[in-house]
Amino acid sequence: MTSENIDGGKALIRALEKEGVEVMFGLPGGAILPVYDPIIDSTIRHILVRHEQGAGHMAQGYAQATGKPGVAMVTSGPAATNIVTPLCDAYLDSTPLVVITGQVPLAAIGTDAFQECDTTGITMGVTKHNFLVKDAQDIPRIVKEAFHIATTGRPGPVLIDLPKDIVDPNNPRSELDWVDNPEMDLPGYKPEKKIDLSEIEKAIELIQVSERPVFYVGGGILKARAAEALRELVEITGIHVVTTLMARGAFPDSHELCLGMPGMHGNYTAVTSMQKADLLVALGARFDDRVTGKVDGFAPDAKIIHVDIDPAEIGKVRKPDVAINGDCRLVIEAMVDLLRQQDAIQIDRSEWKSTISGWQERFPLTYEDSEPGSRLKPQYVLEQLRDLTPEDTIVTSGVGQHQMWTSQYWNFDHPYTWINSGGLGTMGFSIPAAIGAKVGNPDRMVWAVDGDGCFQMTAQELVTATVENIPIKVALLNNSYLGMVRQWQDMFYDERFSEVFLSDDVPNYKTWAESMGCVGIRVDSPEEVPEAIAKANEIEDRSVVIDFRTAPEEHVYPMVPAGKDNSSIVVPPSQGSQER
Amino acid sequence: MKKTQANYTILVITVENKFGVLARVSGLFSRRGVNIKSLAVAPTDKAEFSRITVDLDIELESVSLDQIINQLDKLINVVEIRALDPAESIERELMIVTVEAEASQRDELVDHLDKVGGKVLNIGTESMMLSLVETSSVIDDFESFLSDYGIVELQRTGRVALDSL
Ligand SMILES: Cc1ncc(C[n+]2csc(CCOP(=O)(O)OP(=O)(O)O)c2C)c(N)n1
Ligand SMILES: [Mg+2]
């Protein structure tokens, strides 16, 4: 152990380096200034954002694409409040983040000092944990604890609030003895769970006798890096899989047992197979209301096996018949081991299989081609984009219709290729998340599928992308509307459109993109679509924005109306007369 | 985890004895709109830990006790949490109270106080200060008896409890 006198600001950066941080996203200001000075000499790449919300979402995109914790650093007051949305987003989607905020000096805390806000108070409900550091000597330990908490158990965002005096080399309070390997002091944090093998045996028994089982796979599979283990389990059991919005890519869409996305805008087969199942094996999924619909009517005949690392999720929404608290990968591996020791599954599920393929034949995802001269169909654009980009392309999205269509129409065959804001539904997520994902995967192609409403919330980060040389591509599905809200007004508010029309002609996305250093392309007709995508794919030295002019009246189908149970699923008009 | 038959629930939470921990714990109740009836907090025999006793009117609030317990347990600073079964624990509460009492009323008052095992802490010209350590229901009764005299000021600590032996 080395002993060395350094100041808090240097200690913070050194502690981040020790955690293996390679990149951080941020924007400086008064209270955090002393920590920005040692960045100049650090190995860590700092990416200067244009808005602190962008820093948070970039850190999320980076974390989701790489599996490493994302790091953001901003100043006090307005900067801290600007990053609250990404913290909440990361909290709901269990993304490991460490966010560092500046704070006014200790003596000024509580005095309504300039740019003071109660950051730890404000973020208490949207972080897995937060720290207000009061002694410079604690910095190395707290940084270590923050990374440990963010990345273990159920991952999540952790915030460190740093008063200026303890990081300012001109202030004697900032002096500390550097400790190379501080001991963590977390007596209440025990993320490792001991898996109860008898529960696994019970689960296997239920699986063996079930006639209509479905694996209900959630984002926890990706967090547990359990995609491979899952594939083994599925292949041994021959049971169908649905992948939730947070789990797209956790099991390959092209696999014959993959049914795709369930939920409010899930496909008919995924939704209905869950609804009619006699056994749901929930793996790292949390029975979100967007998946269950009306809880009372959800999968009424199904027994439930619920596997989750977080004991507070088990039984929160639906009481399980078998509860397994543990890491999904370890649990699945234990299940596979046990299944291997047993005889192959005897039960005849051929009828269930043919029921499922019947639904798939009668109720595929579908849309009508656009009339000549009218606006593009967003689904068509996405099919083209899917088919014309490399298989391992990373796709991010904003929130709205374009998000649901992307999740539906893309073919996700690899884990960690789909990054979106599932739990919080944060408009403006896609562009900064794509930048973060690209920073973590410079050799992969990254496409942000965005809506025109979303684009106008965070587009300025394309300036960051240009200046920092992080080329991404944006497919803007520009329907001139807050489309998802328009759809609800269309379906449930007598077509009375209130405050959803954005504009048909402003902003000019092509010139806006160009002014930010990107290539801007506008596409109006279907014939131009493949050509524009091919052109974008070829551009490697800067970002590209394609303004696809899409049809505002298009609805996302299927849809389970809010508050209804999943058997009330509304299919597209062309399938309305199909026998269910 | 035991569910109580009584119309109240006692949660006993061992936490790190640090600033902000009480706010984290109470925040989980407030975000659900659950009122905490009483709360007692003090360091344990180990100075680095505190014990919080929370008394909830869970009958009135239709929330899942297990869920609250699980989510409290997720707080990094919470070391241990459980619900105490009222039938299998011993509880006490302390009340100190100043009541109006003319000289002529004091004999009767002290007589009653003796019967419930209370103490006289202080005597003024027109009032007396009393204390009583008892179960909350005995204290409830004694408090309503005192209200006929006129309560000047009163403080109750809320329940604290330990497992019975
Ligand atoms: C920050 C934020 N504000 C409001 C909403 C509510 N909302 C959900 S989808 C949506 C419309 C999004 O419009 P756009 O980005 O154009 O996407 P589209 O639905 O048209 O594809 C709105 C306003 C939200 N999810 N996030
Ligand atoms: Mg739109």
Side-chain angles (χ1 to χ4, degrees), chain A residues 129-130 132 134 188-189 310, chain B residues 19 24 70 74 76-78:
Chain A
H129 193 58
N130 60 23
L132 170 62
K134 291 177 70 181
Y189 184 59
D310 180 357
Chain B
F19 67 89
R24 293 176 200 275
N70 280 333
K74 265 166 74 167
I76 306 294
N77 303 118
V78 168

Side-chain angles (χ1 to χ4, degrees), chain A residues 399-402 425 427 451-454 457 479 481-485:
Chain A
V399 170
Q401 290 183 310
H402 62 282
M427 283 176 69
D452 43 336
C454 287
M457 290 199 178
N479 55 9
Y481 276 89
L482 298 170
M484 186 56 94
V485 184

Side-chain angles (χ1 to χ4, degrees), chain A residues 147-169:
Chain A
F147 278 84
H148 178 63
I149 293 169
T151 55
T152 52
R154 179 178 184 169
V158 177
L159 179 136
I160 303 174
D161 202 23
L162 277 181
K164 184 171 186 176
D165 42 351
I166 67 163
V167 289
D168 179 1

Side-chain angles (χ1 to χ4, degrees), chain A residues 33 103 151 249 282 337 387 430 440 492:
Chain A
L33 260 171
Q103 182 55 278
T151 55
D337 278 350
D387 296 343
S430 73
F492 311 117

Side-chain angles (χ1 to χ4, degrees), chain A residues 285-480:
Chain A
R286 60 181 176 88
F287 294 81
D288 182 80
D289 54 271
R290 285 297 189 263
V291 168
T292 63
K294 191 173 164 222
V295 175
D296 293 344
F298 173 64
D301 304 326
K303 289 216 157 87
I304 307 286
I305 299 170
H306 196 169
V307 182
D308 207 290
I309 187 100
D310 180 357
E313 286 303 339
I314 297 178
K316 184 182 81 176
V317 175
R318 172 87 172 246
K319 198 173 169 321
D321 299 273
V322 178
I324 305 175
N325 181 208
D327 176 85
C328 270
R329 187 173 59 79
L330 301 180
V331 172
I332 292 173
E333 285 171 359
M335 286 178 160
V336 169
D337 278 350
L338 205 67
L339 282 161
R340 285 246 153 83
Q341 293 162 25
Q342 300 182 0
D343 298 333
I345 292 176
Q346 301 293 337
I347 194 157
D348 178 15
R349 294 185 182 131
S350 52
E351 201 181 314
W352 175 237
K353 290 200 164 136
S354 68
T355 306
I356 287 179
S357 43
W359 289 328
Q360 285 175 319
E361 270 159 38
R362 292 201 299 284
F363 299 103
L365 290 172
T366 181
Y367 65 94
E368 320 248 297
D369 288 338
S370 56
E371 301 288 327
S374 62
R375 288 172 76 152
L376 297 164
K377 285 301 174 88
Q379 302 93 330
Y380 164 76
V381 174
L382 285 165
E383 283 175 338
Q384 292 296 312
L385 194 61
R386 173 194 68 199
D387 296 343
L388 295 172
T389 47
E391 204 204 359
D392 67 348
T393 298
I394 296 174
V395 189
T396 72
S397 92
V399 170
Q401 290 183 310
H402 62 282
Q403 173 191 28
M404 293 298 120
W405 282 316
T406 313
S407 182
Q408 289 178 337
Y409 282 86
W410 206 268
N411 192 49
F412 292 104
D413 273 345
H414 302 282
Y416 315 107
T417 53
W418 167 238
I419 298 171
N420 84 134
S421 165
L424 194 62
T426 307
M427 283 176 69
F429 181 82
S430 73
I431 288 175
I435 293 171
K438 180 74 180 174
V439 169
N441 295 276
D443 301 332
R444 301 259 293 275
M445 193 180 282
V446 180
W447 274 91
V449 179
D450 217 359
D452 43 336
C454 287
F455 187 88
Q456 292 184 60
M457 290 199 178
T458 52
Q460 76 276 18
E461 298 307 342
L462 285 169
V463 177
T464 307
T466 299
V467 173
E468 297 275 350
N469 193 20
I470 309 164
I472 62 158
K473 305 180 200 304
V474 182
L476 176 60
L477 300 184
N478 173 10
N479 55 9
S480 308

